[in-house]
Amino acid sequence: MNRSSFIALSVGGAALAAVVAGSLLATAAPPTTKPAAVQLPKPAPEPAVKAMPSASPQSMGQVQLTFAPVVRRVAPAVVNVYARAVVQQQVNPMFADPLFQRFFGVTPEMRQRVEQSLGSGVIVRSDGLILTNNHVIAGGQEIVVALNDKREFKAKVVQADPRLDLALLRVDTKGEKLPTVAFADSDRVQVGDLVLAIGDPFGVGQTVTMGIVSAQARTQTASSDSQIFIQTDAAINPGNSGGALVTTDGRLAGINTSIVSNSGGSIGIGFAIPANLARRFVEGTAGGGALKMAWFGAEGQSVTSSIAASIGMARPAGVILKTVYPNSPAAKAGLKSGDVVLAIDGNAVDDMQSLNYRIATHKPGDAPSIKVQSGGQVREVSITLTAPPANGGPGSSAVIGGRSPLTGAKVENISPAIAADLQLEPGATGVVIVATAPNTPAGSYGFAPGDIVRGINNTAIHTVSDLQSALAAANGHWSLVVDRGGQRMTLSVDG
């Protein structure tokens, strides 16, 4: 029992004692005056109560509820994941500013520092495929997996996806079959269901905690536009990331990934990536390629009370479409601006994040059923999903040469595929930086993948061709407007 829970119980116990003591004193105190006689009505006879049959427990299972059989079956498939990286660190932080270095002509003294991260993982295939969080292994140069039986293996990253915060590792088992956990259908997990969280919190060793599913389809903490979470009050702490959230029948309901906490410890608000999305990731990346996300091809917003009233809906529900892209799966299925998407495959959607999640659990070529309300009528529509289209043809991308602050940057016209890869707004347009080369002006000035170039010297930039023309006409002065994560930044350079 931790200190905070102990204090809460102590306060609760003292309060109860005070209430009991007060009632005893009130009973024992003699009356100050003799009460007048009161004639009470004669009580009605109590109805006869039929005695309930009683029986003794017939087995230990009726006496003691235990999850030990589930834990014995699942725990061997939950592993510890250690990621180690060697980073360069400046000895004197005052030399960290590149401008300071150039002005004074100093080269900062560097030293190496070893960084380690600890997390958990779940064996999902007996030949050595292990699922964990991307943030557990991000930047790791050496990854070690420790099994429940204390054996250790070096692991290779098969694929990692920061958008979903998932990573797939592989260990060489020399032909040995490892224990696995089967996926549950996370859509069937209900609020109130008992769940177990298994992982290695704080590096103390494998630990099992129990709780319930507190909520489904949480999106407020998601870092991706296609991510929702299962919320649980099972204790999840640092080190649990990548571990298993399992149902009471021993199936994987989700991958534990984060907590909400001011102290760094569990306060009963933990989140897990649903098993259906995790399974889609494993199936799409087990061969070594990147996950090919399905594309819906429309954008919208939650239906609010005012929107519902304006379009004649009895109550707020669903996502009202604002933009439907030409030749997209949504457009080909006959959807248009103003239509309200109520459900996908029978699962209600209330915002774009939950809609995108439902699409993300499918692969290109799937044809989910969409429940749509349009013009007061509700209908079912089948939509054939595709991969988001990429740019094609000459002029859609370039590596900036010559002399400018953007020299060394690779830029592309924004397409649905690029927007998905760089986690841009799905409807984003313009020219985006997709990579920068080291030791180039673009890298030195701090440009990063995902930066959208909006203007140069008061010239709006819509295409790569616009960008190249504006740079060529700059004549030694560049005033750039860049969009980074929805925030506008300006940079003026003369040279």
Side-chain angles (χ1 to χ4, degrees), residues 81-92:
V81 179
Y82 304 89
R84 178 178 179 272
V86 178
V87 298
Q88 296 288 330
Q89 185 180 37
Q90 293 184 1
V91 175
N92 192 335

Side-chain angles (χ1 to χ4, degrees), residues 409-437:
K410 182 180 180 181
V411 297
E412 289 195 28
N413 294 333
I414 298 177
S415 66
I418 290 294
D421 288 343
L422 297 178
Q423 297 188 49
L424 307 176
E425 289 294 325
T429 60
V431 178
V432 65
I433 296 172
V434 297
T436 59

Side-chain angles (χ1 to χ4, degrees), residues 65-68 71 192-198 207-214 232-236 240 244-248 256 266 268:
L65 174 64
T66 177
F67 296 109
V71 174
D193 283 353
L194 285 171
V195 286
L196 306 175
I198 307 178
T207 302
V208 181
T209 56
M210 185 194 75
I212 64 168
V213 173
S214 306
T232 179
D233 69 345
I236 296 174
N240 273 115
L245 186 73
V246 299
T247 59
T248 52
N256 299 322
S266 175

